[in-house]
Amino acid sequence: MNLKSLIWLTWRQHRWAISGVGTVALIAIWNLWSIEALPFLESSMPIGGFYALIVQTAFGALVGAFWGAPLIARELEERTYFVAWGQDATPVQWLRGKLIVLGGLAVLLAVLIGNGDGYFGFVRTWNSFEANSLVQIGYAALGLAIGVLIGLLSRNVVTAIAVTIVLFVVVRIVLAVLVRPFYWPPARVIARWEDTAVVPDRGLELGHGYAGSDLQAVPARSDCMTAINETSCMRRVNAAIGTYVDYQPIERIVWFQIAEFLVCALIAAGLLAVVFRLMRNGGGWKPSRAHRRLGPPVPEPTPVAEKSSEPDSEPELDSDSEPDSDSVAEPEPEPDSVAESEPEPSDQSAPDTAAAKAEG
């Protein structure tokens, strides 16, 4: 199957999903770019830009739910994979071609949607972390891989869409809250009691606490935790020399975006490797004999065991074969012939009876 035929087949099967997601993404891109091109809007963001930022945040989920989840699940649910995978292309080649086409479209839209953040002027902030082409490509690849794997395992389109959205949101939250702030060890600002620890401009604050004499973090004392002013208690008992704040400087945001792209790409590659392994071994799609019919299932006839123990059963004769003359049973004699064969009483019995009566 050449590339032109594969593109046409992918468009024919997924034209509504491609058109829907593509239209939503293009509208969001236009809103983000148009807002940044309007210098007189300095007070608030239009409502279109707000929804565009939501689309930018959820772009990977849209790709996974509407492009990845139905890719294999629809073929398995409608049992059309007998035709799709029974031609000159194997299941692995079919899936690889579909992923090339859909993945290429997802990357193209991700590059465009990642170039705008809806803010006026190009100012990097941690709040606009997702406004990056590499990050959007990673999210799109992650969503597509999750959707394809869930669709292969669930074999149902609606279930695959729902589980893909939930799983993508969970992975995004884990990455943003637990993984992203620690791609690189955080920097620390320490201030004595007379000063206040302040995070540098546009830095991402991660945590704060009390600093000891060795400039390391020390926990708060239990008696100070129950006091009215915990900071005054810690200062009064000389349990610390000041406070500290951990943060990530804004200069690291580019490296963090590259790191998040690599993490998403590695997870997506691992999930797709599992999908291709299942497709190659047939463990996720190979049906049983009862499911190989395109129509409604027809129960197979149950074979009846022959009763060899009954004496009345006679062997069946072949219709084509003629019975042998030796094997034909002779007809049974009729009742008349049987009666004739019995011996008749002799005539001597009559005089003997008469003589016996005379003597008496």
PDB file of all heavy atoms in Angstrom, residues 323-330:
ATOM      1  N   PRO A 323     -27.109 -55.517  -1.547  1.00  0.00           N
ATOM      2  CA  PRO A 323     -26.911 -56.559  -0.539  1.00  0.00           C
ATOM      3  C   PRO A 323     -26.483 -57.868  -1.188  1.00  0.00           C
ATOM      4  O   PRO A 323     -26.928 -58.227  -2.285  1.00  0.00           O
ATOM      5  CB  PRO A 323     -28.266 -56.663   0.138  1.00  0.00           C
ATOM      6  CG  PRO A 323     -29.236 -56.166  -0.882  1.00  0.00           C
ATOM      7  CD  PRO A 323     -28.509 -55.126  -1.680  1.00  0.00           C
ATOM      8  N   ASP A 324     -25.625 -58.604  -0.526  1.00  0.00           N
ATOM      9  CA  ASP A 324     -25.175 -59.898  -1.032  1.00  0.00           C
ATOM     10  C   ASP A 324     -26.292 -60.916  -0.872  1.00  0.00           C
ATOM     11  O   ASP A 324     -27.122 -60.858   0.051  1.00  0.00           O
ATOM     12  CB  ASP A 324     -23.936 -60.353  -0.274  1.00  0.00           C
ATOM     13  CG  ASP A 324     -22.789 -59.394  -0.495  1.00  0.00           C
ATOM     14  OD1 ASP A 324     -22.805 -58.706  -1.550  1.00  0.00           O
ATOM     15  OD2 ASP A 324     -21.907 -59.304   0.381  1.00  0.00           O
ATOM     16  N   SER A 325     -26.275 -61.896  -1.760  1.00  0.00           N
ATOM     17  CA  SER A 325     -27.306 -62.940  -1.705  1.00  0.00           C
ATOM     18  C   SER A 325     -27.155 -63.818  -0.483  1.00  0.00           C
ATOM     19  O   SER A 325     -28.125 -64.329   0.056  1.00  0.00           O
ATOM     20  CB  SER A 325     -27.246 -63.779  -2.984  1.00  0.00           C
ATOM     21  OG  SER A 325     -25.960 -64.374  -3.098  1.00  0.00           O
ATOM     22  N   ASP A 326     -25.917 -64.009  -0.019  1.00  0.00           N
ATOM     23  CA  ASP A 326     -25.692 -64.865   1.145  1.00  0.00           C
ATOM     24  C   ASP A 326     -26.135 -64.216   2.446  1.00  0.00           C
ATOM     25  O   ASP A 326     -26.447 -64.892   3.410  1.00  0.00           O
ATOM     26  CB  ASP A 326     -24.207 -65.230   1.248  1.00  0.00           C
ATOM     27  CG  ASP A 326     -23.763 -66.017   0.026  1.00  0.00           C
ATOM     28  OD1 ASP A 326     -24.645 -66.613  -0.612  1.00  0.00           O
ATOM     29  OD2 ASP A 326     -22.529 -65.998  -0.246  1.00  0.00           O
ATOM     30  N   SER A 327     -26.081 -62.873   2.444  1.00  0.00           N
ATOM     31  CA  SER A 327     -26.405 -62.169   3.676  1.00  0.00           C
ATOM     32  C   SER A 327     -27.872 -61.919   3.862  1.00  0.00           C
ATOM     33  O   SER A 327     -28.294 -61.403   4.889  1.00  0.00           O
ATOM     34  CB  SER A 327     -25.647 -60.836   3.728  1.00  0.00           C
ATOM     35  OG  SER A 327     -26.077 -60.023   2.667  1.00  0.00           O
ATOM     36  N   VAL A 328     -28.744 -62.249   2.821  1.00  0.00           N
ATOM     37  CA  VAL A 328     -30.175 -61.992   2.932  1.00  0.00           C
ATOM     38  C   VAL A 328     -30.805 -63.077   3.787  1.00  0.00           C
ATOM     39  O   VAL A 328     -30.614 -64.279   3.537  1.00  0.00           O
ATOM     40  CB  VAL A 328     -30.834 -61.956   1.540  1.00  0.00           C
ATOM     41  CG1 VAL A 328     -32.347 -61.771   1.684  1.00  0.00           C
ATOM     42  CG2 VAL A 328     -30.217 -60.863   0.708  1.00  0.00           C
ATOM     43  N   ALA A 329     -31.567 -62.723   4.779  1.00  0.00           N
ATOM     44  CA  ALA A 329     -32.192 -63.694   5.685  1.00  0.00           C
ATOM     45  C   ALA A 329     -33.351 -64.383   5.001  1.00  0.00           C
ATOM     46  O   ALA A 329     -34.099 -63.758   4.227  1.00  0.00           O
ATOM     47  CB  ALA A 329     -32.657 -63.003   6.959  1.00  0.00           C
ATOM     48  N   GLU A 330     -33.529 -65.671   5.259  1.00  0.00           N
ATOM     49  CA  GLU A 330     -34.642 -66.426   4.691  1.00  0.00           C
ATOM     50  C   GLU A 330     -35.951 -66.012   5.367  1.00  0.00           C
ATOM     51  O   GLU A 330     -35.976 -65.746   6.565  1.00  0.00           O
ATOM     52  CB  GLU A 330     -34.406 -67.919   4.894  1.00  0.00           C
ATOM     53  CG  GLU A 330     -33.177 -68.429   4.162  1.00  0.00           C
ATOM     54  CD  GLU A 330     -32.992 -69.907   4.385  1.00  0.00           C
ATOM     55  OE1 GLU A 330     -33.804 -70.486   5.169  1.00  0.00           O
ATOM     56  OE2 GLU A 330     -32.074 -70.479   3.794  1.00  0.00           O
TER      57      GLU A 330
END
